[in-house]
Amino acid sequence: MSDFATALRRIRKHGDGILLDAAEMLRQLVKDTCEAISASEGSILIPSDDRSELRFLVSMNPTLEDSDITVSLAGSVSGYVFSSRQAMAKVHPDSPGVSQVDQLAQVETKYLLAVPIVDDDRVYGVATFVNRSGGFL
């Protein structure tokens, strides 16, 4: 994942405004990571302005990327990963955030990998990868 870290450092040097211009690059990075780990879908979530929720910045699922859906930091896998800076993998995760996202995206999350996006002392967001592709269990 060194390419991901390098990309985030480059974005950080240019400020938050570049995130909008870098959406396609981030989307491609998520797509490449999904292929590398055999995930069906992936997303990058970033904190809301008040840092109480996470919102989808980019996603392989256009429904999620185009929505206003947010995931609470309290009681969600992604929220825990963001707050604790600890990656987490769950089989059949059960949380209000997963249920809400599944309903909107019309997906059933069987496998979830959530990884914090960090650089030094700052947590930028969470990368999530859902389910398996290519017949992998």
Side-chain angles (χ1 to χ4, degrees):
M1 292 278 239
S2 62
D3 291 344
F4 190 65
T6 300
L8 288 173
R9 278 194 293 278
R10 288 180 183 152
I11 291 168
R12 182 178 182 202
K13 286 181 186 178
H14 298 303
D16 293 336
I18 198 168
L19 288 176
L20 295 175
D21 297 331
E24 186 56 39
M25 177 195 67
L26 291 171
R27 208 172 286 110
Q28 185 62 50
L29 184 61
V30 169
K31 180 181 176 188
D32 291 345
T33 304
C34 285
E35 290 174 8
I37 66 171
S38 299
S40 294
E41 295 186 13
S43 301
I44 294 176
L45 293 91
I46 59 172
S48 60
D49 290 339
D50 67 1
R51 298 181 74 83
S52 66
E53 300 174 314
L54 297 170
R55 67 176 180 84
F56 287 86
L57 177 64
V58 296
S59 179
M60 298 306 303
N61 186 318
T63 302
L64 295 175
E65 189 169 321
D66 296 337
S67 76
D68 293 335
I69 193 168
T70 58
V71 176
S72 175
L73 287 181
S76 71
V77 173
S78 296
Y80 174 81
V81 169
F82 181 82
S83 299
S84 70
R85 302 170 61 124
Q86 298 292 314
M88 179 181 282
K90 297 280 284 184
V91 177
H92 297 288
D94 184 23
S95 76
V98 170
S99 298
Q100 182 183 15
V101 171
D102 280 1
Q103 185 176 15
L104 178 66
Q106 297 181 353
V107 179
E108 179 187 355
T109 300
K110 295 178 183 176
Y111 304 99
L112 174 64
L113 172 64
V115 181
I117 302 169
V118 297
D119 184 24
D120 297 327
D121 293 329
R122 185 170 176 191
V123 181
Y124 291 95
V126 177
T128 60
F129 303 96
V130 177
N131 297 335
R132 303 288 286 171
S133 63
F136 294 101
L137 295 178

